[in-house]
Amino acid sequence: MLKHVLRLAAILVILSVTLTTFSLEVADAPSAVPAPPIAKKDPKVTDINGHKLVDNYFWLREKKNPEVKAYLDAENSYADALMKPTEPLQKKLYGEMLGRIKETDVDVPYKYGDYFYYSRTEAGKQYPIRCRRKGSMDAPEEVVLDVNELAKGQAFMAVAAYSVSDDGNLLAYSTDNTGFRQYTLAVKDLRTGKLLSDHIEKTGSVVWAGDNKTLFYTVEDSAKRQYRLYRHTVGTAGPDDLMYEEKDERFSVNAFRTRSKAYIFLISGSHTTSEARYIPADRPAAEWKVIEPRKQDIEYYPDHNGGFFYIRVNDTGRNYRLVRAPVGSPGKANWQEVIPHRAEVMLDDTDFFKNYYVTYEREHGLPQISVADLESGHSHRMSFPEPAYVAFPYVNREYDTTKFRYSYQSFITPQSIYEYDMATGDATLLKRKEVPGGYDPSRYKVEQLYAAASDGTRIPISIVYLKDAKLDGNGPLYLYGYGSYGISVDTTFNSNIFSMVDRGIVYAVAHPRGGGEMGKTWHDRGRMMNKKNTFTDFIISAEYLVSKGYGSKDKLVIEGASAGGLLMGAVTNMRPDLFHAVIAKVPFVDVMNTMLDESLPLTVTEFEEWGNPKEKPAFDYMITYSPYDNIQKKAYPNMLVKTSFNDSQVMYWEPAKYVAKMRATRSDHNTLILKTNMGAGHGGASGRYDRLHEAAFDYAFVLNQVGISE
């Protein structure tokens, strides 16, 4: 991320050039602090459900308006000026974080067809290099895709689809060079290294048929919803054959091929309902058939093994069961139960191999993995050694195998790739990510705590801190939260956090309702007309940690991103006295205006997560928590708000408008920073070194707020 660090005089020159957009009014501001840009007001009034929504900063949506860019540039200059005293600390933090990364490294190879595929990194290069070797890892290396080459001359580069044909000759891949998550599909001949003429815009899923020449791909509509499936023959100019179009704007489509290679599935799904179609992978011209017609609030997801489709479905309970049906007649009338629904166990996903299947479950807030023998029906669950951790599948491309690979990690255990023998139950560690610089996990303590909500619900909190830390209620405390879409925020390993923990900060993650940590009902109890449970759960988690001495509210910093940014905005409005500082990244804070605009990405598809504000009961509820609509004239915590100009999930104008209104309304003179990455999207910078610079900026803000200067 490019940083413009300017002296106050230079900032004032920039601001004076754009006085038609914003002024320099800072009433009673301390003289040593430069004046923040004050956005002009140009009211837009929306009459809805007997309510007038007044949006003074609607004009900031005009992405091509030079005044908009000038305002964001001025905010960036202001942010850099305020953060300039922390530049030595930022530099030190960057060095620390970089020192914990093995810059030249190789991932664990996986076998697919005749080749072993892997990804590696080289010191000084921002992106991975994807390679393969034929037959064994002793064979000569072939570079399949060097993302550094793709990124030359680009401010941003991301690879989404990466799929090799069965014969190993062709690579289909898709790239985004803006951060807007619009991907362009290309096909590379791996025998010659040359790109073919195939070039398809705005793609999503990419799947090879069994003939090594037919590709199925999905494309997005004007609201970035994947809604059509096409069939394409490599090397032809088209037009391609439209296989399916999803008419219901709540639904998106995605396609995949089973590990058995026998079938291609097309899933059409909303936040609450799904429907699956299929064809044999070796018959790309076959007619697509429906497994079971969609039914509102019923989700099902198929896989294949032998003569059966195995289907994970929530028809008898929210946490799913597993059934199977003959591939010739897979409708519900022929479903045979394999694993019943269990109220306390969420069946998250399944993986099928020729003679075994693996289930991924959640129980008591933690992920679990079980392995079952298809012939005997015997199953067993793996055991994991820590109180808070995450375990999930690694790359498993082979079907006829007894070996299953998974990744295990925690706050203090680096990513560890294991190969598990499903026949014997033996696990072999293949590689643990090396953490240079003398990292010692024995210095830290990990705990899983529970805070009691007002209705008695136990809210999980995962924490890590130095073993010798004094938990006397006077120290600094950092608390992260998300709590939406049924997504679980587990305790992954991130070596960056030790730049906080080693300085005495207790690092915590709250798991409020709305997430998926405790199963599907946990999600249900924090969405739609229950959404405010997410916010009160987070507040209770913070109060609990403070009451137990894990930190002081005067040194409490909270953070959330995207829907977690909504959480930050809501709890900051509700309890500004509880938090000393807030980091809100790409925050979904303009709930009402966004959910009233069906032309925007995600709006219609997310009516089943937040509600449709055109319906009065939903409007009356949502307006009570929408952060942008509830900013009041009162004292707020210190705040760092971050966004990206090319964000396609939460448009840049939401955080920009939020900060503009906050500046014009709040009664305090606490720090309020808006930092915009002008060349990235929802996830920030794409290069690994650029991401470290962004992290150093954020961590410097946190440390500065809790009184740690070096």
Side-chain angles (χ1 to χ4, degrees):
M1 176 175 59
L2 181 62
K3 294 183 178 179
H4 307 284
V5 183
L6 303 173
R7 295 187 182 276
L8 175 58
I11 295 172
L12 294 177
V13 169
I14 291 173
L15 296 176
S16 67
V17 171
T18 51
L19 278 174
T20 57
T21 307
F22 40 84
S23 66
L24 301 180
E25 301 170 4
V26 187
D28 302 320
S31 58
V33 178
I38 306 299
K40 71 178 181 182
K41 294 183 179 180
D42 185 5
K44 177 183 182 297
V45 179
T46 300
D47 288 294
I48 178 77
N49 289 318
H51 193 99
K52 288 187 182 295
L53 289 178
V54 180
D55 187 357
N56 288 322
Y57 306 102
F58 182 84
W59 67 275
L60 283 169
R61 288 177 48 135
E62 301 167 12
K63 191 172 184 178
K64 295 182 179 179
N65 182 346
E67 290 185 344
V68 171
K69 186 175 183 301
Y71 173 71
L72 296 177
D73 285 343
E75 284 281 11
N76 277 346
S77 297
Y78 174 72
D80 288 337
L82 261 61
M83 290 292 289
K84 187 173 180 58
T86 71
E87 283 184 351
L89 179 57
Q90 290 182 49
K91 184 177 180 180
K92 183 177 183 180
L93 289 166
Y94 177 83
E96 287 177 10
M97 295 175 188
L98 183 60
R100 298 190 200 101
I101 294 173
K102 188 177 181 181
E103 296 182 74
T104 299
D105 204 358
V106 182
D107 289 341
V108 174
Y110 63 90
K111 192 173 186 297
Y112 181 63
D114 295 332
Y115 293 88
F116 288 87
Y117 291 83
Y118 57 96
S119 180
R120 60 180 177 84
T121 54
E122 293 181 1
K125 293 186 176 181
Q126 294 264 28
Y127 300 96
I129 303 166
R130 301 190 180 192
C131 308
R132 70 180 185 180
R133 297 175 190 260
K134 189 171 185 179
S136 77
M137 286 300 291
D138 295 325
E141 180 180 88
E142 299 177 35
V143 174
V144 178
L145 196 67
D146 186 342
V147 185
N148 299 285
E149 291 297 317
L150 297 177
K152 284 185 175 177
Q154 308 288 345
F156 185 95
M157 179 53 60
V159 175
Y162 178 83
S163 182
V164 179
S165 58
D166 288 2
D167 60 12
N169 291 334
L170 300 175
L171 169 70
Y173 69 96
S174 62
T175 57
D176 165 28
N177 65 353
T178 68
F180 198 65
R181 295 189 179 179
Q182 276 185 338
Y183 293 92
T184 300
L185 176 63
V187 178
K188 182 179 181 180
D189 190 326
L190 298 180
R191 295 163 294 188
T192 65
K194 303 295 184 183
L195 283 180
L196 303 183
S197 59
D198 310 81
H199 182 90
I200 304 168
E201 303 285 345
K202 300 180 180 180
T203 56
S205 303
V206 177
V207 181
W208 285 102
D211 62 2
N212 299 303
K213 64 179 182 180
T214 302
L215 276 173
F216 291 95
Y217 64 89
T218 63
V219 297
E220 65 184 43
D221 63 10
S222 59
K224 290 191 64 59
R225 175 180 67 102
Q226 295 289 320
Y227 79 122
R228 285 179 173 174
L229 176 76
Y230 284 94
R231 183 179 62 208
H232 171 74
T233 301
V234 172
T236 63
D240 292 333
D241 299 316
L242 177 62
M243 297 288 96
Y244 179 74
E245 179 175 353
E246 179 53 65
K247 303 289 189 181
D248 191 327
E249 293 183 5
R250 298 174 303 155
F251 286 71
S252 301
V253 297
N254 73 283
F256 70 95
R257 189 174 172 190
T258 60
R259 182 178 287 106
S260 67
K261 296 187 179 180
Y263 288 91
I264 298 173
F265 286 115
L266 175 68
I267 310 297
S268 187
S270 74
H271 281 274
T272 64
T273 309
S274 68
E275 179 181 67
R277 289 169 168 78
Y278 66 98
I279 61 168
D282 61 356
R283 293 169 50 201
E287 178 185 355
W288 289 80
K289 296 180 180 179
V290 175
I291 288 182
E292 178 68 18
R294 69 185 64 174
K295 182 179 179 181
Q296 181 62 36
D297 295 325
I298 301 298
E299 296 178 73
Y300 72 91
Y301 303 97
D303 204 339
H304 167 255
N305 181 272
F308 295 93
F309 289 148
Y310 285 79
I311 302 164
R312 187 174 64 94
V313 59
N314 66 352
D315 58 340
T316 62
R318 291 296 286 150
N319 280 343
Y320 292 86
R321 64 176 177 144
L322 184 67
V323 301
R324 73 175 189 174
V327 296
S329 52
K332 185 173 182 178
N334 297 310
W335 289 359
Q336 307 162 17
E337 188 167 86
V338 179
I339 300 176
H341 173 264
R342 295 155 295 172
E344 301 303 319
V345 181
M346 170 69 178
L347 180 58
D348 254 343
D349 207 351
T350 60
D351 261 330
F352 278 83
F353 300 87
K354 185 176 181 179
N355 298 309
Y356 302 89
Y357 68 92
V358 180
T359 56
Y360 308 100
E361 301 164 336
R362 298 196 69 88
E363 188 172 13
H364 304 307
L366 293 170
Q368 307 289 348
I369 300 177
S370 296
V371 176
D373 186 310
L374 277 162
E375 183 177 351
S376 68
H378 174 73
S379 68
H380 60 277
R381 179 180 279 186
M382 298 180 188
S383 61
F384 301 111
E386 296 177 90
Y389 62 88
V390 62
F392 52 86
Y394 190 61
V395 183
N396 293 282
R397 299 300 302 273
E398 291 187 280
Y399 176 60
D400 188 0
T401 180
T402 64
K403 303 297 176 62
F404 159 71
R405 291 179 175 182
Y406 66 92
S407 173
Y408 175 88
Q409 55 188 293
S410 73
F411 275 145
I412 61 173
T413 301
Q415 182 193 52
S416 306
I417 307 302
Y418 287 88
E419 186 169 77
Y420 187 83
D421 191 314
M422 294 181 283
T424 66
D426 295 328
T428 302
L429 177 63
L430 300 180
K431 180 173 182 174
R432 177 162 288 153
K433 203 79 170 177
E434 183 181 336
V435 183
Y439 169 71
D440 179 6
S442 68
R443 298 179 60 214
Y444 309 100
K445 184 172 182 180
V446 176
E447 291 185 89
Q448 187 82 349
L449 310 174
Y450 295 88
S454 58
D455 61 2
T457 301
R458 299 173 77 230
I459 313 303
I461 310 168
S462 306
I463 64 172
V464 59
Y465 55 91
L466 285 169
K467 278 184 178 177
D468 60 359
K470 291 183 179 180
L471 303 180
D472 57 5
N474 295 314
L477 172 63
Y478 167 97
L479 180 62
Y480 183 88
Y482 187 74
S484 290
Y485 302 113
I487 292 173
S488 301
V489 179
D490 289 309
T491 55
T492 56
F493 183 82
N494 177 5
S495 63
N496 291 347
I497 72 170
F498 297 105
S499 286
M500 287 198 288
V501 177
D502 287 350
R503 288 174 168 85
I505 295 179
V506 173
Y507 184 99
V509 178
H511 307 284
R513 283 172 284 188
E517 290 86 349
M518 303 286 280
K520 197 64 180 174
T521 54
W522 195 253
H523 176 207
D524 292 339
R525 291 161 64 191
R527 71 178 183 96
M528 303 293 281
M529 304 297 273
N530 295 315
K531 187 61 209 170
K532 286 193 278 190
N533 281 337
T534 307
F535 315 139
T536 54
D537 286 356
F538 186 86
I539 289 170
I540 286 165
S541 297
E543 290 177 331
Y544 177 82
L545 291 172
V546 170
S547 71
K548 295 299 182 181
Y550 287 97
S552 163
K553 75 171 189 173
D554 295 330
K555 296 180 181 179
L556 172 56
V557 181
I558 60 173
E559 181 176 337
S562 195
L566 162 64
L567 172 61
M568 295 300 102
V571 301
T572 300
N573 280 332
M574 294 167 68
R575 287 292 308 277
D577 61 301
L578 181 57
F579 315 110
H580 178 72
V582 180
I583 301 179
K585 294 180 179 176
V586 291
F588 173 44
V589 282
D590 190 13
V591 175
M592 305 311 298
N593 289 310
T594 292
M595 294 306 296
L596 285 166
D597 188 346
E598 296 182 12
S599 71
L600 293 176
L602 305 182
T603 292
V604 175
T605 61
E606 297 200 349
F607 283 160
E608 293 177 319
E609 179 71 20
W610 315 109
N612 182 353
K614 292 179 182 177
E615 300 169 358
K616 192 173 189 308
F619 178 94
D620 290 344
Y621 185 76
M622 296 164 72
I623 193 69
T624 63
Y625 69 76
S626 173
Y628 184 62
D629 297 285
N630 285 281
I631 296 172
Q632 299 175 9
K633 188 175 181 60
K634 60 186 178 183
Y636 281 89
N638 301 282
M639 300 185 74
L640 168 61
V641 181
K642 301 190 75 177
T643 186
S644 293
F645 197 48
N646 294 325
D647 194 337
S648 63
Q649 311 301 109
V650 178
M651 300 298 180
Y652 73 88
W653 60 72
E654 287 202 39
K657 289 165 54 179
Y658 175 78
V659 169
K661 185 174 182 180
M662 185 70 77
R663 287 205 197 286
T665 309
R666 63 192 290 171
S667 62
D668 60 84
H669 297 304
N670 289 330
T671 300
L672 176 58
I673 295 173
L674 173 65
K675 185 69 172 174
T676 305
N677 186 325
M678 301 301 290
H682 196 59
S686 57
R688 58 177 179 157
Y689 297 109
D690 292 339
R691 288 197 298 270
L692 283 183
H693 280 297
E694 289 189 337
F697 183 94
D698 300 344
Y699 281 33
F701 175 83
V702 172
L703 295 172
N704 182 258
Q705 289 299 321
V706 299
I708 299 173
S709 59
E710 58 183 41

